[in-house]
Amino acid sequence: MEIFKRMEQHDYEQLVFCQDKTSGLKAIICIHDTTLGPALGGTRMWNYETEEEAIEDAIRLGRGMTYKNAAAGLNLGGGKTVIIGDPLKDKNEEMFRAFGRFIQGLNGRYITAEDVGTTVADMDLIHEETDFVTGISPAFGSSGNPSPVTAYGCYIGMKAAALEAWGDDSLEGKTVSVQGVGNVAYTLCEHLHQEGAKLIVTDINQEAVARAVKDFGAIAVAPNDIYSQQADIFAPCAMGAIINDETIPQLKVKVVAGSANNQLKEERHGDELEALGIVYAPDFVINSGGVINVADELYGYNNERAMKRVETIYDSITRIFEISKRDGIPSYQAADRMAEERIDRMRKSRSQFLRNEHNIISRR
Ligand SMILES: NC(=O)c1ccc[n+]([C@@H]2O[C@H](COP(=O)([O-])OP(=O)(O)OC[C@H]3O[C@@H](n4cnc5c(N)ncnc54)[C@H](O)[C@@H]3O)[C@@H](O)[C@H]2O)c1
Ligand SMILES: CC(C)C[C@H](N)C(=O)O
């Protein structure tokens, strides 16, 4: 992989490789863009098969956070970390303490939180070494696990997508096929079940499937069969790149709306959904509830204030469909435009000279 060439492609600021032999830590921090503020984005722990795969994931996820934070109106840039390892076998206290020290070394340019494979307990360990971490235990006056809030944002975003598809945002009687019933999707299923939606679920973890079947009367299907289900809405809530050349022809749904990051394998897959008349709720907007919630910790966490901002996801999704129709562009492009325009506006508004705290001439 030609790393600098890849970084130039979407103007990445910084990639940090962190290694600690004692704990076995191998982490890659990607800071994509800090125009709006410090880069906030979670830490994913995953058993990547190759280092290239891990770098690519950090890079794609980091850029996604720039767009997510910008579209959510947060004064934060975008970044992400991946830790190479099996979250069920390879974690230890020293690993997260070592990682916390690496974050501290970045002096606030990057702030972390949970993602797939990491928990509140891991964030608490990081917090032993740095304050540049969110999603830590409520015992510290913080917001805790972001997943239930992500799930709620995803639920109201799905309602906004339903309004676009059927002219009515009720999900009662709608069938939703859910890929991955982990932290976010379990709570999403709970909201959907309460509203009277029917659920079809899959997961590579059979315990997670069994729980959704038992608690919500969901129908279970094999992982590869989830795309071809006769459903109204497909909710991707596992890993990325699942809207692709193989899966699009299988879809029978009218709406794609779920929590997974980077759902479109390539941008052209968003064009294909649009051409098929499938309403796509852009991933980085519908799944922004968690980051909105943890970002509030930076002001001294206030649940009421955070949830008020999370509620705006419904309007943001609606607005994206309006821009899409007005400008004749697919919804994913409308969401990108919304985020990019805010970053450009803020970049320009900050162009006057400001002397910073170190008395160094700076334009930031
Ligand atoms: N947790 C959050 O607050 C949050 C916020 C924004 C976005 N997201 C994104 O939402 C997605 C889910 O996050 P989560 O926190 O619920 O993670 P999680 O690890 O708790 O859940 C993911 C689930 O997907 C399952 N899975 C993995 N590969 C699968 C496959 N090929 N087929 C079926 N199931 C599969 C896993 O077994 C797991 O149960 C991720 O893409 C994450 O980046 C999460
Ligand atoms: C809670 C957030 C900071 C990170 C979350 N995993 C996301 O992708 O948005």
Side-chain angles (χ1 to χ4, degrees), residues 178-333:
V178 183
Q179 181 181 47
V181 262
N183 287 319
V184 175
Y186 179 82
T187 308
L188 172 64
C189 287
E190 197 169 29
H191 289 298
L192 293 171
H193 178 64
Q194 271 165 10
E195 194 173 332
K198 296 174 206 134
L199 297 166
I200 301 172
V201 300
T202 195
D203 200 294
I204 49 174
N205 173 350
Q206 286 316 305
E207 275 174 35
V209 172
R211 192 160 75 123
V213 169
K214 178 171 161 285
D215 295 354
F216 311 124
I219 295 169
V221 298
N224 285 338
D225 293 340
I226 197 69
Y227 307 104
S228 59
Q229 293 303 309
Q230 195 69 56
D232 299 299
I233 301 170
F234 172 47
C237 298
M239 304 307 270
I242 37 62
I243 301 293
N244 57 46
D245 292 338
E246 286 74 46
T247 60
I248 291 175
Q250 300 179 50
L251 295 176
K252 299 189 178 78
V253 294
K254 180 76 184 150
V255 170
V256 172
S259 75
N261 279 308
N262 297 333
Q263 293 170 26
L264 305 176
K265 185 166 183 194
E266 293 171 38
E267 291 190 343
R268 67 184 173 85
H269 295 116
D271 301 330
E272 286 179 34
L273 290 182
E274 179 80 9
L276 289 167
I278 296 175
V279 173
Y280 170 62
D283 48 13
F284 65 75
V285 180
I286 195 169
N287 73 14
S288 60
V291 77
I292 292 172
N293 197 47
V294 299
D296 198 84
E297 289 181 23
L298 304 172
Y299 300 91
Y301 184 62
N302 179 308
N303 180 260
E304 200 181 319
R305 181 177 58 203
M307 291 312 291
K308 219 167 163 184
R309 198 187 266 271
V310 171
E311 294 287 351
T312 64
I313 291 174
Y314 186 102
D315 292 339
S316 298
I317 296 283
T318 307
R319 174 100 186 100
I320 284 163
F321 295 136
E322 280 167 10
I323 296 173
S324 162
K325 276 181 279 190
R326 186 196 68 194
D327 298 352
I329 53 174
S331 59
Y332 81 88
Q333 275 182 22

Side-chain angles (χ1 to χ4, degrees), residues 40-42 65 68 80 113-115 146 261 287 290-291 294:
L40 172 59
M65 291 308 300
K68 188 180 306 194
K80 200 95 175 186
E114 293 86 349
D115 194 68
N261 279 308
N287 73 14
V291 77
V294 299

Side-chain angles (χ1 to χ4, degrees), residues 326-327 336-346:
R326 186 196 68 194
D327 298 352
D336 285 0
R337 194 170 281 185
M338 202 165 91
E340 283 162 4
E341 284 179 0
R342 178 161 183 256
I343 294 169
D344 280 350
R345 281 198 308 274
M346 294 309 290

